[in-house]
Amino acid sequence: MTQSKKQTTSHNGLQIKYVSDGGRIIVIGAGFGGLATAIRLQAAGLPVTLLEAREHPGGRAGQIQDQGFTFDMGPTLITAPHLLEELWQLAGRDLREDVELIPLSPFYRILFADGRSFDYWGIAEQDEAEIARFEPRDVQGYRAFLAETRHIYERAFVDLAGQPFLAMGDLLRVTPELIRLGGHRSVYSFVSRYFRHPYLRMVFSFHPLFIGGNPFRASAIYSIVPYLERLGGVHFARGGMYTLVQAMEKLFCSLGGEVRYNAPVEQILLKERQAKGVRLQDGTALSAGAVVANSDVAQTYLKLLPREYLPGSIERYHYSMSCFLLYLGVKREYTHLRHHTIIMPERYRKLIHEIFDGRGLPADLALYLHTPTRTDATMAPPGCESLYVLAPVPNLAHGIDWTRETPAFRDRIIQFLEQQCGLTGLSENIVTEQMFTPLDFASQLRSHQGAAFSIEPTLLQSAYFRPHNRSNMFDGLYFVGAGTHPGAGIPGVLLSADLTSRLVCNDIVRV
Ligand SMILES: Cc1cc2nc3c(=O)[nH]c(=O)nc-3n(C[C@H](O)[C@H](O)[C@H](O)COP(=O)(O)OP(=O)(O)OC[C@H]3O[C@@H](n4cnc5c(N)ncnc54)[C@H](O)[C@@H]3O)c2cc1C
């Protein structure tokens, strides 16, 4: 086992908290965050062991295959593909040789309660024509919105997401700029300055939901998502998003990394407030020079570390909503659905409020449909549809008994799709069906409160206020993934892997 000593100097602009002279790095969890960190560290020459509780990698990005149908279980779209390209490059390979990214056009179709629809292309001319159908005066607003979100992207995304915010001073330095950019306002209030039509306000404000945020209280900084989508496009990985996970695992192994599945970590081993390794559920102890937790941040503190060190913030944080997912293999096609179709509720503000802050199940539905067969014929047998239905729902802190509610909620969704979304005959055409409920987020993914996106992204739960990428309590312990800075979503998690691995590399001096 290696020696360590305290150090206060800085290196590459990052303050060094502690110096280890090496040893194997253990990464707990093979989600996108764990995989990307493992690749980065292994590529930097540090030996990594990746420990995953389940029998496969990917975390939320799992896959189901049944009777010729393939379903992605979590993420369905890739934005900011340059972050993946960068990961492959530093491992000495080309992403496009391993994964085929299919650009989606349109990015999505949005259906409103009165039957109207909006196709969002990410191409100025087509988007402006769509906007003009609803409110011609909003075309000008759209241009101003894009210019402003580009400005926020250049100032905020690059500066805020690219530094680890380990000290309050880091936040204070950027606060004036954050206020200038309107970061204290909500996404919805920001969007409403540019769009008059209520439907267009929905179209340009729902994006925080993609990362577990409430459009009515997520910081306006998150309004950059439409700009980010236009910049790099919205993509799907041929064969399903899981092919990306498999390619990341292969990349890591090709660099000499070690992965162990069915290896749940039960405890992070400490010696004098320094992480020294882990103990697996089967009792095996593994020593390490540093430990990186991609496991749920709250659960890491609650279950893997001594209770006496539990920060009060873990219980005070507001956790994101959960999701109820249906994966339906259907023996017919619904050609009015695009690759992504979003079904907006009539009561946008009220429903979102009930999902985030209410008690019990809301009376109405907002749905996100993924129909990859529209783009990739390999996802289902000919003439069939691989259909993924996502309903955002309250997390487990909201007192819903899912063991009782699940069958009725499933039926309500199917009926709604048949009667209000044009999926006639859906129930009699289902040939295979699976579900993933908030209880599965908690039990299978070990997610605190069954939250789908960990800690909700609000201004006061972001940057310095989020769990840091490097523990300020234990030397040699790091965090990566949706619950840490900068946050959820594949781009956020890949950025956190960059920050975390830079901190690890900085703190490790090989002798
Ligand atoms: C339904 C859904 C749809 C989404 N759609 C999109 C999308 O289209 N585009 C997008 O960019 N993002 C999307 N997201 C968000 C994105 O998928 C996540 O933010 C991201 O995948 C989270 O990655 P992660 O590395 O933080 O953690 P996870 O994926 O949660 O992985 C953590 C891993 O740690 C393992 N683990 C936990 N505890 C232990 C332990 N004690 N020992 C060992 N292993 C452990 C878990 O088994 C898991 O494999 C979606 C999320 C959901 C839920």
Side-chain angles (χ1 to χ4, degrees), residues 27-35 51-54 56-61 73-79 210-211 241 263-266 294-296 299-300 304 323 325 327 340 368 388 390 441 444-446 451-453 480-483 487-493 496:
V27 177
I28 308 171
F32 270 105
L35 282 165
L51 301 171
E52 169 54 51
R54 304 172 87 197
H56 55 78
R60 275 143 171 86
M73 297 185 70
T76 58
L77 58 87
I78 298 164
T79 40
F210 279 173
I211 51 166
M241 298 286 285
V265 170
E266 195 174 62
N294 177 226
S295 38
D296 182 276
Q299 289 296 312
T300 303
L304 308 188
C323 295
L325 291 130
Y327 311 103
H340 294 115
Y368 180 75
Y388 152 134
L390 182 163
F441 277 95
Q444 296 196 35
L445 292 166
R446 297 166 189 248
F453 304 88
V480 71
I490 299 171
V493 163
S496 85

Side-chain angles (χ1 to χ4, degrees), residues 367-431:
L367 297 178
Y368 180 75
L369 308 185
H370 181 225
T371 325
T373 18
R374 204 55 69 251
T375 312
D376 181 354
T378 66
M379 301 294 286
C384 298
E385 210 78 279
S386 158
L387 182 61
Y388 152 134
V389 187
L390 182 163
V393 292
N395 68 33
L396 294 177
H398 295 251
I400 298 164
D401 179 357
W402 283 102
T403 48
R404 230 188 47 206
E405 298 284 354
T406 293
F409 193 62
R410 175 261 179 218
D411 290 349
R412 178 140 73 92
I413 291 175
I414 301 283
Q415 204 177 48
F416 178 76
L417 289 170
E418 286 180 332
Q419 294 175 359
Q420 291 178 51
C421 310
L423 276 74
T424 33
L426 177 62
S427 44
E428 62 258 34
N429 282 290
I430 296 172
V431 287

Side-chain angles (χ1 to χ4, degrees), residues 146 149-150 153-154 223-232:
L146 278 189
T149 46
R150 176 191 177 149
Y153 169 79
E154 282 163 359
S223 308
I224 60 164
V225 178
Y227 177 76
L228 201 65
E229 288 176 340
R230 285 172 58 111
L231 194 67

Side-chain angles (χ1 to χ4, degrees), residues 425-492:
L426 177 62
S427 44
E428 62 258 34
N429 282 290
I430 296 172
V431 287
T432 162
E433 172 174 350
Q434 298 210 30
M435 277 183 254
F436 203 81
T437 77
L439 294 175
D440 297 312
F441 277 95
S443 63
Q444 296 196 35
L445 292 166
R446 297 166 189 248
S447 169
H448 187 55
Q449 296 180 0
F453 304 88
S454 191
I455 296 165
E456 183 189 334
T458 59
L459 198 57
L460 293 180
Q461 298 194 156
S462 295
Y464 175 74
F465 301 115
R466 226 170 160 77
H468 299 174
N469 303 82
R470 178 171 62 194
S471 166
N472 47 10
M473 224 183 286
F474 305 105
D475 289 343
L477 177 62
Y478 303 80
F479 296 95
V480 71
T484 185
H485 174 68
I490 299 171

